[in-house]
Amino acid sequence: MSPIGLCRALVTGGDSGLGRAVCHCFAQEGATVAFTNVRSQEEKEAQETLQMLKEAKTEDARIARG
C-alpha cells in the first residue's frame, strides 16, 4: 500500500471537473475520500462521483453534507 493509502482526504467541489479527478486519484491510491458539493442542481454529478469512488475503492464512500 502506498503512503497515501493511510490518508483521508476532504475535497471541496468534488462532484465534477478537477475536484472529481482529485477524488478519483486519491481513491485509486487507497485514501479514504469525502467530498462536498454546494448546489442542489449538482446532485446528479455528486451521485456519479460517489459511484466512481465506490468502484475505485470500497463501498464506504459517502458524500459529506453540511
Side-chain angles (χ1 to χ4, degrees):
M1 177 184 295
S2 69
I4 202 169
L6 304 174
C7 296
R8 294 182 180 122
L10 174 60
V11 181
T12 58
D15 61 306
S16 62
L18 184 57
R20 179 184 280 181
V22 169
C23 286
H24 189 242
C25 288
F26 275 123
Q28 283 187 318
E29 290 296 321
T32 299
V33 179
F35 70 93
T36 63
N37 67 316
V38 208
R39 300 182 189 113
S40 60
Q41 63 263 38
E42 294 177 346
E43 186 62 27
K44 181 178 184 244
E45 289 89 355
Q47 291 301 322
E48 290 170 353
T49 300
L50 181 60
Q51 184 59 38
M52 178 188 65
L53 293 177
K54 287 180 177 182
E55 291 170 3
K57 187 172 184 288
T58 65
E59 292 298 316
D60 65 347
R62 300 279 185 271
I63 300 173
R65 304 246 188 238

